[in-house]
Amino acid sequence: MDFVMIENQFTNMVEDVSNAVGRTVHRKIVLAIASKYVASGKPFDSVKYKEVLQEMKKQTSWTSPLRTTVGYSIAANLLEQEDPQQAVKNLLHNVNIMKEAKFRSGNFSFIGAQFLTEEESEKRAHAQAARALFDAIRKHHKFLTSYDDIPYAVLLSSPSDDAELRAETMNRYYKELRTYNFNAGNELQWLSQLLTFLSAQYDNNLVPNVVTIRDTLKNQDVKVKTMHYPLLGFLAILEVNQVQLQQIVDVYNELKDMKLLKWHREFVLFMAIQIVIYDMAQVQQSLSMTIMSSIELLIQAQQAAMFAAMGAAAVASSSS
């Protein structure tokens, strides 16, 4: 892995994204979008990105979540669709379906709307299943479950799913992780939800794997904070081995001293894991494209949730 090349690519990508979004946008948004494209090796089309932002303005009112911080992140996700106008139209259609399923309109329902099935005939059933899972999760954690759980509820549900079973399994993971000194809160709930990604059935191996991954990283001076808990879930799902964990540590150590990340060290682990996951996908045939695209969506959901939670609701302006 060529670290100098990665650093150069990231520096250039940050500049490209920064120019595209405008100088008023929060730096964390710029870093997250840049890291997504550097890790995946995909080109960032700044012209098309601006077209997507413009379409968001055309098709929404000034009070729309697409005019806030989260909108810049969502716009980056819509770039892969061919027609910006239709991409925004499809997203807003999904948002309306989420409303029909009694999800309150807001940042997190817009994030979740990205993850509805592409099959038009199944969208409403999927949204209803997501609502059932959301309600089932809230039965176990009434005060902890809130709007920020919506993206995971959409991503982890399907019409054929047993919502009660999945929610029970999530709660079991949550309680077991607490016995290993994981802090209670939203991040731990997201981690427990992610652990049901492959199956609603409880898996005895997942919690020990998460604990091993956390301890291995910490023992090598990687700063694992509560906001990083869901990342541990990604790695457990992928069954990363010690060699791959060492790769993450190596990338982390290279990136943490970058000047661009001096005041945003919390992004270093996100970047390191994204880079190694995509590298794994290129050499492991066992990582299907379906799993990779889902993992990418999970990372996007986590980052978008972090943006919304940090309270930097900067309204999009015409300068972008």
Side-chain angles (χ1 to χ4, degrees), residues 235-270:
L235 301 180
I237 290 168
L238 293 172
E239 298 182 332
V240 295
N241 55 38
Q242 289 299 314
V243 172
Q244 291 158 341
L245 274 178
Q246 187 59 51
Q247 271 189 296
I248 292 171
V249 173
D250 292 342
V251 176
Y252 174 89
N253 286 331
E254 286 291 332
L255 295 176
K256 71 178 182 180
D257 294 325
M258 283 190 70
K259 185 177 180 180
L260 282 171
L261 296 171
K262 182 178 181 180
W263 304 109
H264 305 283
R265 291 286 175 83
E266 69 272 19
F267 271 98
V268 178
L269 189 54
F270 276 100

PDB file of all heavy atoms in Angstrom, residues 235-270:
ATOM      1  N   LEU A 235     -16.027  -4.340  11.048  1.00  0.00           N
ATOM      2  CA  LEU A 235     -14.875  -5.241  11.008  1.00  0.00           C
ATOM      3  C   LEU A 235     -15.239  -6.643  11.494  1.00  0.00           C
ATOM      4  O   LEU A 235     -14.741  -7.635  10.968  1.00  0.00           O
ATOM      5  CB  LEU A 235     -13.734  -4.659  11.835  1.00  0.00           C
ATOM      6  CG  LEU A 235     -13.227  -3.280  11.389  1.00  0.00           C
ATOM      7  CD1 LEU A 235     -12.098  -2.806  12.289  1.00  0.00           C
ATOM      8  CD2 LEU A 235     -12.772  -3.311   9.936  1.00  0.00           C
ATOM      9  N   ALA A 236     -16.115  -6.715  12.495  1.00  0.00           N
ATOM     10  CA  ALA A 236     -16.549  -8.021  12.989  1.00  0.00           C
ATOM     11  C   ALA A 236     -17.379  -8.748  11.934  1.00  0.00           C
ATOM     12  O   ALA A 236     -17.228  -9.959  11.731  1.00  0.00           O
ATOM     13  CB  ALA A 236     -17.358  -7.854  14.280  1.00  0.00           C
ATOM     14  N   ILE A 237     -18.253  -8.005  11.250  1.00  0.00           N
ATOM     15  CA  ILE A 237     -19.071  -8.587  10.185  1.00  0.00           C
ATOM     16  C   ILE A 237     -18.180  -9.166   9.086  1.00  0.00           C
ATOM     17  O   ILE A 237     -18.435 -10.244   8.550  1.00  0.00           O
ATOM     18  CB  ILE A 237     -20.003  -7.513   9.586  1.00  0.00           C
ATOM     19  CG1 ILE A 237     -21.092  -7.125  10.583  1.00  0.00           C
ATOM     20  CG2 ILE A 237     -20.639  -8.005   8.280  1.00  0.00           C
ATOM     21  CD1 ILE A 237     -21.854  -5.876  10.186  1.00  0.00           C
ATOM     22  N   LEU A 238     -17.113  -8.444   8.762  1.00  0.00           N
ATOM     23  CA  LEU A 238     -16.203  -8.869   7.691  1.00  0.00           C
ATOM     24  C   LEU A 238     -15.191  -9.925   8.148  1.00  0.00           C
ATOM     25  O   LEU A 238     -14.418 -10.422   7.341  1.00  0.00           O
ATOM     26  CB  LEU A 238     -15.453  -7.656   7.136  1.00  0.00           C
ATOM     27  CG  LEU A 238     -16.311  -6.638   6.382  1.00  0.00           C
ATOM     28  CD1 LEU A 238     -15.502  -5.396   6.045  1.00  0.00           C
ATOM     29  CD2 LEU A 238     -16.865  -7.257   5.104  1.00  0.00           C
ATOM     30  N   GLU A 239     -15.203 -10.221   9.453  1.00  0.00           N
ATOM     31  CA  GLU A 239     -14.296 -11.227  10.015  1.00  0.00           C
ATOM     32  C   GLU A 239     -12.834 -10.924   9.673  1.00  0.00           C
ATOM     33  O   GLU A 239     -12.102 -11.792   9.201  1.00  0.00           O
ATOM     34  CB  GLU A 239     -14.684 -12.627   9.530  1.00  0.00           C
ATOM     35  CG  GLU A 239     -16.074 -13.059   9.970  1.00  0.00           C
ATOM     36  CD  GLU A 239     -16.426 -14.470   9.515  1.00  0.00           C
ATOM     37  OE1 GLU A 239     -15.893 -14.909   8.465  1.00  0.00           O
ATOM     38  OE2 GLU A 239     -17.205 -15.139  10.209  1.00  0.00           O
ATOM     39  N   VAL A 240     -12.442  -9.677   9.909  1.00  0.00           N
ATOM     40  CA  VAL A 240     -11.055  -9.307   9.617  1.00  0.00           C
ATOM     41  C   VAL A 240     -10.098 -10.102  10.494  1.00  0.00           C
ATOM     42  O   VAL A 240     -10.388 -10.398  11.653  1.00  0.00           O
ATOM     43  CB  VAL A 240     -10.821  -7.795   9.826  1.00  0.00           C
ATOM     44  CG1 VAL A 240     -11.618  -6.978   8.843  1.00  0.00           C
ATOM     45  CG2 VAL A 240     -11.144  -7.368  11.250  1.00  0.00           C
ATOM     46  N   ASN A 241      -8.944 -10.449   9.924  1.00  0.00           N
ATOM     47  CA  ASN A 241      -7.949 -11.200  10.681  1.00  0.00           C
ATOM     48  C   ASN A 241      -6.870 -10.255  11.221  1.00  0.00           C
ATOM     49  O   ASN A 241      -6.926  -9.039  11.013  1.00  0.00           O
ATOM     50  CB  ASN A 241      -7.328 -12.299   9.807  1.00  0.00           C
ATOM     51  CG  ASN A 241      -6.731 -11.742   8.513  1.00  0.00           C
ATOM     52  OD1 ASN A 241      -6.137 -10.659   8.504  1.00  0.00           O
ATOM     53  ND2 ASN A 241      -6.888 -12.479   7.407  1.00  0.00           N
ATOM     54  N   GLN A 242      -5.879 -10.817  11.892  1.00  0.00           N
ATOM     55  CA  GLN A 242      -4.838  -9.999  12.519  1.00  0.00           C
ATOM     56  C   GLN A 242      -4.007  -9.229  11.488  1.00  0.00           C
ATOM     57  O   GLN A 242      -3.588  -8.096  11.735  1.00  0.00           O
ATOM     58  CB  GLN A 242      -3.930 -10.891  13.375  1.00  0.00           C
ATOM     59  CG  GLN A 242      -4.591 -11.416  14.640  1.00  0.00           C
ATOM     60  CD  GLN A 242      -5.026 -10.307  15.583  1.00  0.00           C
ATOM     61  OE1 GLN A 242      -4.274  -9.373  15.857  1.00  0.00           O
ATOM     62  NE2 GLN A 242      -6.244 -10.408  16.098  1.00  0.00           N
ATOM     63  N   VAL A 243      -3.777  -9.851  10.347  1.00  0.00           N
ATOM     64  CA  VAL A 243      -3.009  -9.182   9.286  1.00  0.00           C
ATOM     65  C   VAL A 243      -3.765  -7.941   8.804  1.00  0.00           C
ATOM     66  O   VAL A 243      -3.183  -6.863   8.616  1.00  0.00           O
ATOM     67  CB  VAL A 243      -2.740 -10.139   8.106  1.00  0.00           C
ATOM     68  CG1 VAL A 243      -2.108  -9.389   6.935  1.00  0.00           C
ATOM     69  CG2 VAL A 243      -1.832 -11.283   8.556  1.00  0.00           C
ATOM     70  N   GLN A 244      -5.060  -8.093   8.605  1.00  0.00           N
ATOM     71  CA  GLN A 244      -5.874  -6.974   8.131  1.00  0.00           C
ATOM     72  C   GLN A 244      -6.010  -5.889   9.195  1.00  0.00           C
ATOM     73  O   GLN A 244      -6.004  -4.686   8.877  1.00  0.00           O
ATOM     74  CB  GLN A 244      -7.245  -7.491   7.687  1.00  0.00           C
ATOM     75  CG  GLN A 244      -7.162  -8.343   6.427  1.00  0.00           C
ATOM     76  CD  GLN A 244      -8.338  -9.275   6.255  1.00  0.00           C
ATOM     77  OE1 GLN A 244      -9.067  -9.574   7.210  1.00  0.00           O
ATOM     78  NE2 GLN A 244      -8.529  -9.768   5.036  1.00  0.00           N
ATOM     79  N   LEU A 245      -6.098  -6.302  10.458  1.00  0.00           N
ATOM     80  CA  LEU A 245      -6.122  -5.319  11.543  1.00  0.00           C
ATOM     81  C   LEU A 245      -4.814  -4.532  11.589  1.00  0.00           C
ATOM     82  O   LEU A 245      -4.817  -3.323  11.833  1.00  0.00           O
ATOM     83  CB  LEU A 245      -6.366  -6.012  12.885  1.00  0.00           C
ATOM     84  CG  LEU A 245      -7.819  -6.275  13.293  1.00  0.00           C
ATOM     85  CD1 LEU A 245      -7.869  -6.999  14.628  1.00  0.00           C
ATOM     86  CD2 LEU A 245      -8.617  -4.988  13.367  1.00  0.00           C
ATOM     87  N   GLN A 246      -3.714  -5.229  11.343  1.00  0.00           N
ATOM     88  CA  GLN A 246      -2.422  -4.545  11.331  1.00  0.00           C
ATOM     89  C   GLN A 246      -2.356  -3.543  10.186  1.00  0.00           C
ATOM     90  O   GLN A 246      -1.770  -2.460  10.327  1.00  0.00           O
ATOM     91  CB  GLN A 246      -1.280  -5.558  11.220  1.00  0.00           C
ATOM     92  CG  GLN A 246       0.110  -4.954  11.369  1.00  0.00           C
ATOM     93  CD  GLN A 246       0.284  -4.251  12.701  1.00  0.00           C
ATOM     94  OE1 GLN A 246       0.011  -4.814  13.759  1.00  0.00           O
ATOM     95  NE2 GLN A 246       0.756  -3.005  12.668  1.00  0.00           N
ATOM     96  N   GLN A 247      -2.971  -3.888   9.064  1.00  0.00           N
ATOM     97  CA  GLN A 247      -3.039  -2.950   7.941  1.00  0.00           C
ATOM     98  C   GLN A 247      -3.749  -1.668   8.364  1.00  0.00           C
ATOM     99  O   GLN A 247      -3.318  -0.559   8.041  1.00  0.00           O
ATOM    100  CB  GLN A 247      -3.792  -3.575   6.768  1.00  0.00           C
ATOM    101  CG  GLN A 247      -2.946  -4.366   5.796  1.00  0.00           C
ATOM    102  CD  GLN A 247      -3.757  -4.751   4.572  1.00  0.00           C
ATOM    103  OE1 GLN A 247      -4.717  -5.503   4.663  1.00  0.00           O
ATOM    104  NE2 GLN A 247      -3.388  -4.216   3.434  1.00  0.00           N
ATOM    105  N   ILE A 248      -4.846  -1.834   9.085  1.00  0.00           N
ATOM    106  CA  ILE A 248      -5.608  -0.675   9.558  1.00  0.00           C
ATOM    107  C   ILE A 248      -4.758   0.183  10.484  1.00  0.00           C
ATOM    108  O   ILE A 248      -4.733   1.414  10.371  1.00  0.00           O
ATOM    109  CB  ILE A 248      -6.900  -1.140  10.281  1.00  0.00           C
ATOM    110  CG1 ILE A 248      -7.861  -1.758   9.280  1.00  0.00           C
ATOM    111  CG2 ILE A 248      -7.564   0.041  11.015  1.00  0.00           C
ATOM    112  CD1 ILE A 248      -9.064  -2.438   9.907  1.00  0.00           C
ATOM    113  N   VAL A 249      -4.028  -0.474  11.387  1.00  0.00           N
ATOM    114  CA  VAL A 249      -3.142   0.248  12.310  1.00  0.00           C
ATOM    115  C   VAL A 249      -2.068   1.011  11.539  1.00  0.00           C
ATOM    116  O   VAL A 249      -1.776   2.174  11.836  1.00  0.00           O
ATOM    117  CB  VAL A 249      -2.491  -0.723  13.323  1.00  0.00           C
ATOM    118  CG1 VAL A 249      -1.435   0.006  14.166  1.00  0.00           C
ATOM    119  CG2 VAL A 249      -3.552  -1.337  14.227  1.00  0.00           C
ATOM    120  N   ASP A 250      -1.502   0.360  10.526  1.00  0.00           N
ATOM    121  CA  ASP A 250      -0.443   1.001   9.734  1.00  0.00           C
ATOM    122  C   ASP A 250      -0.973   2.228   8.996  1.00  0.00           C
ATOM    123  O   ASP A 250      -0.321   3.282   8.973  1.00  0.00           O
ATOM    124  CB  ASP A 250       0.148  -0.002   8.727  1.00  0.00           C
ATOM    125  CG  ASP A 250       0.929  -1.124   9.414  1.00  0.00           C
ATOM    126  OD1 ASP A 250       1.306  -0.946  10.592  1.00  0.00           O
ATOM    127  OD2 ASP A 250       1.151  -2.167   8.772  1.00  0.00           O
ATOM    128  N   VAL A 251      -2.149   2.084   8.381  1.00  0.00           N
ATOM    129  CA  VAL A 251      -2.746   3.219   7.662  1.00  0.00           C
ATOM    130  C   VAL A 251      -3.088   4.330   8.652  1.00  0.00           C
ATOM    131  O   VAL A 251      -2.852   5.512   8.387  1.00  0.00           O
ATOM    132  CB  VAL A 251      -4.002   2.777   6.881  1.00  0.00           C
ATOM    133  CG1 VAL A 251      -4.674   3.983   6.230  1.00  0.00           C
ATOM    134  CG2 VAL A 251      -3.642   1.743   5.825  1.00  0.00           C
ATOM    135  N   TYR A 252      -3.632   3.953   9.789  1.00  0.00           N
ATOM    136  CA  TYR A 252      -3.984   4.923  10.837  1.00  0.00           C
ATOM    137  C   TYR A 252      -2.761   5.733  11.259  1.00  0.00           C
ATOM    138  O   TYR A 252      -2.816   6.967  11.349  1.00  0.00           O
ATOM    139  CB  TYR A 252      -4.568   4.173  12.031  1.00  0.00           C
ATOM    140  CG  TYR A 252      -4.858   5.029  13.248  1.00  0.00           C
ATOM    141  CD1 TYR A 252      -6.097   5.655  13.412  1.00  0.00           C
ATOM    142  CD2 TYR A 252      -3.897   5.206  14.246  1.00  0.00           C
ATOM    143  CE1 TYR A 252      -6.366   6.435  14.529  1.00  0.00           C
ATOM    144  CE2 TYR A 252      -4.155   5.981  15.361  1.00  0.00           C
ATOM    145  CZ  TYR A 252      -5.391   6.591  15.503  1.00  0.00           C
ATOM    146  OH  TYR A 252      -5.642   7.367  16.611  1.00  0.00           O
ATOM    147  N   ASN A 253      -1.663   5.039  11.505  1.00  0.00           N
ATOM    148  CA  ASN A 253      -0.448   5.722  11.960  1.00  0.00           C
ATOM    149  C   ASN A 253       0.118   6.660  10.901  1.00  0.00           C
ATOM    150  O   ASN A 253       0.711   7.689  11.228  1.00  0.00           O
ATOM    151  CB  ASN A 253       0.603   4.692  12.372  1.00  0.00           C
ATOM    152  CG  ASN A 253       0.268   4.023  13.694  1.00  0.00           C
ATOM    153  OD1 ASN A 253      -0.380   4.624  14.557  1.00  0.00           O
ATOM    154  ND2 ASN A 253       0.680   2.776  13.853  1.00  0.00           N
ATOM    155  N   GLU A 254      -0.068   6.299   9.641  1.00  0.00           N
ATOM    156  CA  GLU A 254       0.415   7.166   8.569  1.00  0.00           C
ATOM    157  C   GLU A 254      -0.451   8.417   8.430  1.00  0.00           C
ATOM    158  O   GLU A 254       0.046   9.517   8.209  1.00  0.00           O
ATOM    159  CB  GLU A 254       0.432   6.401   7.235  1.00  0.00           C
ATOM    160  CG  GLU A 254       1.545   5.377   7.106  1.00  0.00           C
ATOM    161  CD  GLU A 254       2.924   6.018   6.993  1.00  0.00           C
ATOM    162  OE1 GLU A 254       3.009   7.162   6.490  1.00  0.00           O
ATOM    163  OE2 GLU A 254       3.905   5.382   7.416  1.00  0.00           O
ATOM    164  N   LEU A 255      -1.749   8.227   8.560  1.00  0.00           N
ATOM    165  CA  LEU A 255      -2.674   9.333   8.328  1.00  0.00           C
ATOM    166  C   LEU A 255      -2.776  10.308   9.487  1.00  0.00           C
ATOM    167  O   LEU A 255      -3.046  11.499   9.283  1.00  0.00           O
ATOM    168  CB  LEU A 255      -4.073   8.787   8.011  1.00  0.00           C
ATOM    169  CG  LEU A 255      -4.250   7.978   6.727  1.00  0.00           C
ATOM    170  CD1 LEU A 255      -5.673   7.445   6.633  1.00  0.00           C
ATOM    171  CD2 LEU A 255      -3.928   8.833   5.506  1.00  0.00           C
ATOM    172  N   LYS A 256      -2.567   9.830  10.699  1.00  0.00           N
ATOM    173  CA  LYS A 256      -2.839  10.670  11.871  1.00  0.00           C
ATOM    174  C   LYS A 256      -1.946  11.901  11.968  1.00  0.00           C
ATOM    175  O   LYS A 256      -2.299  12.871  12.654  1.00  0.00           O
ATOM    176  CB  LYS A 256      -2.718   9.845  13.155  1.00  0.00           C
ATOM    177  CG  LYS A 256      -1.310   9.435  13.529  1.00  0.00           C
ATOM    178  CD  LYS A 256      -1.299   8.657  14.839  1.00  0.00           C
ATOM    179  CE  LYS A 256       0.122   8.281  15.240  1.00  0.00           C
ATOM    180  NZ  LYS A 256       0.145   7.529  16.514  1.00  0.00           N
ATOM    181  N   ASP A 257      -0.809  11.871  11.290  1.00  0.00           N
ATOM    182  CA  ASP A 257       0.102  13.013  11.343  1.00  0.00           C
ATOM    183  C   ASP A 257      -0.082  13.979  10.181  1.00  0.00           C
ATOM    184  O   ASP A 257       0.650  14.965  10.071  1.00  0.00           O
ATOM    185  CB  ASP A 257       1.556  12.521  11.380  1.00  0.00           C
ATOM    186  CG  ASP A 257       1.872  11.776  12.671  1.00  0.00           C
ATOM    187  OD1 ASP A 257       1.328  12.162  13.726  1.00  0.00           O
ATOM    188  OD2 ASP A 257       2.651  10.806  12.618  1.00  0.00           O
ATOM    189  N   MET A 258      -1.073  13.694   9.318  1.00  0.00           N
ATOM    190  CA  MET A 258      -1.323  14.601   8.203  1.00  0.00           C
ATOM    191  C   MET A 258      -1.817  15.947   8.726  1.00  0.00           C
ATOM    192  O   MET A 258      -2.676  16.010   9.613  1.00  0.00           O
ATOM    193  CB  MET A 258      -2.368  14.017   7.251  1.00  0.00           C
ATOM    194  CG  MET A 258      -1.847  12.933   6.333  1.00  0.00           C
ATOM    195  SD  MET A 258      -3.083  12.523   5.055  1.00  0.00           S
ATOM    196  CE  MET A 258      -3.038  14.018   4.063  1.00  0.00           C
ATOM    197  N   LYS A 259      -1.303  17.005   8.160  1.00  0.00           N
ATOM    198  CA  LYS A 259      -1.676  18.360   8.581  1.00  0.00           C
ATOM    199  C   LYS A 259      -3.180  18.597   8.429  1.00  0.00           C
ATOM    200  O   LYS A 259      -3.817  19.249   9.264  1.00  0.00           O
ATOM    201  CB  LYS A 259      -0.892  19.388   7.767  1.00  0.00           C
ATOM    202  CG  LYS A 259      -1.105  20.825   8.206  1.00  0.00           C
ATOM    203  CD  LYS A 259      -0.244  21.779   7.393  1.00  0.00           C
ATOM    204  CE  LYS A 259      -0.463  23.230   7.839  1.00  0.00           C
ATOM    205  NZ  LYS A 259       0.365  24.179   7.052  1.00  0.00           N
ATOM    206  N   LEU A 260      -3.763  18.051   7.358  1.00  0.00           N
ATOM    207  CA  LEU A 260      -5.190  18.236   7.095  1.00  0.00           C
ATOM    208  C   LEU A 260      -6.073  17.672   8.201  1.00  0.00           C
ATOM    209  O   LEU A 260      -7.201  18.120   8.409  1.00  0.00           O
ATOM    210  CB  LEU A 260      -5.569  17.568   5.769  1.00  0.00           C
ATOM    211  CG  LEU A 260      -5.222  18.310   4.472  1.00  0.00           C
ATOM    212  CD1 LEU A 260      -5.475  17.412   3.280  1.00  0.00           C
ATOM    213  CD2 LEU A 260      -6.041  19.586   4.358  1.00  0.00           C
ATOM    214  N   LEU A 261      -5.555  16.668   8.911  1.00  0.00           N
ATOM    215  CA  LEU A 261      -6.352  15.980   9.922  1.00  0.00           C
ATOM    216  C   LEU A 261      -5.964  16.363  11.344  1.00  0.00           C
ATOM    217  O   LEU A 261      -6.447  15.771  12.305  1.00  0.00           O
ATOM    218  CB  LEU A 261      -6.220  14.463   9.741  1.00  0.00           C
ATOM    219  CG  LEU A 261      -6.763  13.916   8.417  1.00  0.00           C
ATOM    220  CD1 LEU A 261      -6.380  12.457   8.235  1.00  0.00           C
ATOM    221  CD2 LEU A 261      -8.278  14.076   8.354  1.00  0.00           C
ATOM    222  N   LYS A 262      -5.099  17.364  11.487  1.00  0.00           N
ATOM    223  CA  LYS A 262      -4.591  17.739  12.805  1.00  0.00           C
ATOM    224  C   LYS A 262      -5.709  18.051  13.788  1.00  0.00           C
ATOM    225  O   LYS A 262      -5.644  17.673  14.966  1.00  0.00           O
ATOM    226  CB  LYS A 262      -3.657  18.939  12.667  1.00  0.00           C
ATOM    227  CG  LYS A 262      -3.034  19.372  13.984  1.00  0.00           C
ATOM    228  CD  LYS A 262      -2.069  20.538  13.774  1.00  0.00           C
ATOM    229  CE  LYS A 262      -1.439  20.950  15.109  1.00  0.00           C
ATOM    230  NZ  LYS A 262      -0.493  22.094  14.919  1.00  0.00           N
ATOM    231  N   TRP A 263      -6.744  18.755  13.323  1.00  0.00           N
ATOM    232  CA  TRP A 263      -7.842  19.144  14.206  1.00  0.00           C
ATOM    233  C   TRP A 263      -9.073  18.263  14.033  1.00  0.00           C
ATOM    234  O   TRP A 263     -10.148  18.580  14.543  1.00  0.00           O
ATOM    235  CB  TRP A 263      -8.204  20.611  13.956  1.00  0.00           C
ATOM    236  CG  TRP A 263      -7.042  21.531  14.119  1.00  0.00           C
ATOM    237  CD1 TRP A 263      -6.372  22.210  13.135  1.00  0.00           C
ATOM    238  CD2 TRP A 263      -6.365  21.858  15.334  1.00  0.00           C
ATOM    239  NE1 TRP A 263      -5.342  22.927  13.653  1.00  0.00           N
ATOM    240  CE2 TRP A 263      -5.309  22.742  15.015  1.00  0.00           C
ATOM    241  CE3 TRP A 263      -6.547  21.485  16.678  1.00  0.00           C
ATOM    242  CZ2 TRP A 263      -4.436  23.245  15.971  1.00  0.00           C
ATOM    243  CZ3 TRP A 263      -5.685  21.999  17.636  1.00  0.00           C
ATOM    244  CH2 TRP A 263      -4.653  22.859  17.286  1.00  0.00           C
ATOM    245  N   HIS A 264      -8.916  17.181  13.297  1.00  0.00           N
ATOM    246  CA  HIS A 264     -10.051  16.285  13.047  1.00  0.00           C
ATOM    247  C   HIS A 264      -9.593  14.832  13.162  1.00  0.00           C
ATOM    248  O   HIS A 264      -9.850  14.015  12.290  1.00  0.00           O
ATOM    249  CB  HIS A 264     -10.650  16.555  11.668  1.00  0.00           C
ATOM    250  CG  HIS A 264     -11.047  17.978  11.449  1.00  0.00           C
ATOM    251  ND1 HIS A 264     -12.191  18.520  11.981  1.00  0.00           N
ATOM    252  CD2 HIS A 264     -10.431  18.989  10.774  1.00  0.00           C
ATOM    253  CE1 HIS A 264     -12.274  19.806  11.639  1.00  0.00           C
ATOM    254  NE2 HIS A 264     -11.226  20.110  10.910  1.00  0.00           N
ATOM    255  N   ARG A 265      -8.904  14.526  14.237  1.00  0.00           N
ATOM    256  CA  ARG A 265      -8.310  13.186  14.398  1.00  0.00           C
ATOM    257  C   ARG A 265      -9.354  12.069  14.441  1.00  0.00           C
ATOM    258  O   ARG A 265      -9.032  10.907  14.175  1.00  0.00           O
ATOM    259  CB  ARG A 265      -7.460  13.159  15.684  1.00  0.00           C
ATOM    260  CG  ARG A 265      -6.188  14.013  15.602  1.00  0.00           C
ATOM    261  CD  ARG A 265      -5.135  13.354  14.744  1.00  0.00           C
ATOM    262  NE  ARG A 265      -3.964  14.172  14.552  1.00  0.00           N
ATOM    263  CZ  ARG A 265      -2.943  14.258  15.419  1.00  0.00           C
ATOM    264  NH1 ARG A 265      -2.994  13.582  16.548  1.00  0.00           N
ATOM    265  NH2 ARG A 265      -1.902  15.014  15.148  1.00  0.00           N
ATOM    266  N   GLU A 266     -10.599  12.421  14.795  1.00  0.00           N
ATOM    267  CA  GLU A 266     -11.621  11.375  14.875  1.00  0.00           C
ATOM    268  C   GLU A 266     -11.897  10.740  13.518  1.00  0.00           C
ATOM    269  O   GLU A 266     -12.409   9.627  13.434  1.00  0.00           O
ATOM    270  CB  GLU A 266     -12.927  11.942  15.453  1.00  0.00           C
ATOM    271  CG  GLU A 266     -13.676  12.911  14.564  1.00  0.00           C
ATOM    272  CD  GLU A 266     -13.228  14.359  14.723  1.00  0.00           C
ATOM    273  OE1 GLU A 266     -12.104  14.575  15.237  1.00  0.00           O
ATOM    274  OE2 GLU A 266     -13.987  15.259  14.336  1.00  0.00           O
ATOM    275  N   PHE A 267     -11.520  11.431  12.424  1.00  0.00           N
ATOM    276  CA  PHE A 267     -11.756  10.896  11.087  1.00  0.00           C
ATOM    277  C   PHE A 267     -10.679   9.901  10.640  1.00  0.00           C
ATOM    278  O   PHE A 267     -10.876   9.180   9.672  1.00  0.00           O
ATOM    279  CB  PHE A 267     -11.832  12.039  10.065  1.00  0.00           C
ATOM    280  CG  PHE A 267     -13.209  12.584   9.905  1.00  0.00           C
ATOM    281  CD1 PHE A 267     -13.590  13.729  10.575  1.00  0.00           C
ATOM    282  CD2 PHE A 267     -14.146  11.947   9.104  1.00  0.00           C
ATOM    283  CE1 PHE A 267     -14.862  14.243  10.445  1.00  0.00           C
ATOM    284  CE2 PHE A 267     -15.425  12.447   8.965  1.00  0.00           C
ATOM    285  CZ  PHE A 267     -15.784  13.601   9.641  1.00  0.00           C
ATOM    286  N   VAL A 268      -9.563   9.877  11.343  1.00  0.00           N
ATOM    287  CA  VAL A 268      -8.452   9.033  10.901  1.00  0.00           C
ATOM    288  C   VAL A 268      -8.846   7.559  10.883  1.00  0.00           C
ATOM    289  O   VAL A 268      -8.563   6.838   9.921  1.00  0.00           O
ATOM    290  CB  VAL A 268      -7.210   9.263  11.797  1.00  0.00           C
ATOM    291  CG1 VAL A 268      -6.081   8.333  11.364  1.00  0.00           C
ATOM    292  CG2 VAL A 268      -6.762  10.716  11.725  1.00  0.00           C
ATOM    293  N   LEU A 269      -9.513   7.104  11.942  1.00  0.00           N
ATOM    294  CA  LEU A 269      -9.897   5.690  11.994  1.00  0.00           C
ATOM    295  C   LEU A 269     -10.954   5.372  10.941  1.00  0.00           C
ATOM    296  O   LEU A 269     -10.927   4.296  10.331  1.00  0.00           O
ATOM    297  CB  LEU A 269     -10.398   5.322  13.389  1.00  0.00           C
ATOM    298  CG  LEU A 269     -10.630   3.831  13.649  1.00  0.00           C
ATOM    299  CD1 LEU A 269      -9.388   3.010  13.326  1.00  0.00           C
ATOM    300  CD2 LEU A 269     -11.063   3.592  15.102  1.00  0.00           C
ATOM    301  N   PHE A 270     -11.881   6.295  10.716  1.00  0.00           N
ATOM    302  CA  PHE A 270     -12.855   6.111   9.630  1.00  0.00           C
ATOM    303  C   PHE A 270     -12.136   5.882   8.308  1.00  0.00           C
ATOM    304  O   PHE A 270     -12.433   4.945   7.559  1.00  0.00           O
ATOM    305  CB  PHE A 270     -13.755   7.351   9.500  1.00  0.00           C
ATOM    306  CG  PHE A 270     -14.932   7.372  10.419  1.00  0.00           C
ATOM    307  CD1 PHE A 270     -14.899   8.117  11.582  1.00  0.00           C
ATOM    308  CD2 PHE A 270     -16.080   6.664  10.126  1.00  0.00           C
ATOM    309  CE1 PHE A 270     -15.989   8.163  12.442  1.00  0.00           C
ATOM    310  CE2 PHE A 270     -17.181   6.692  10.970  1.00  0.00           C
ATOM    311  CZ  PHE A 270     -17.133   7.444  12.134  1.00  0.00           C
TER     312      PHE A 270
END
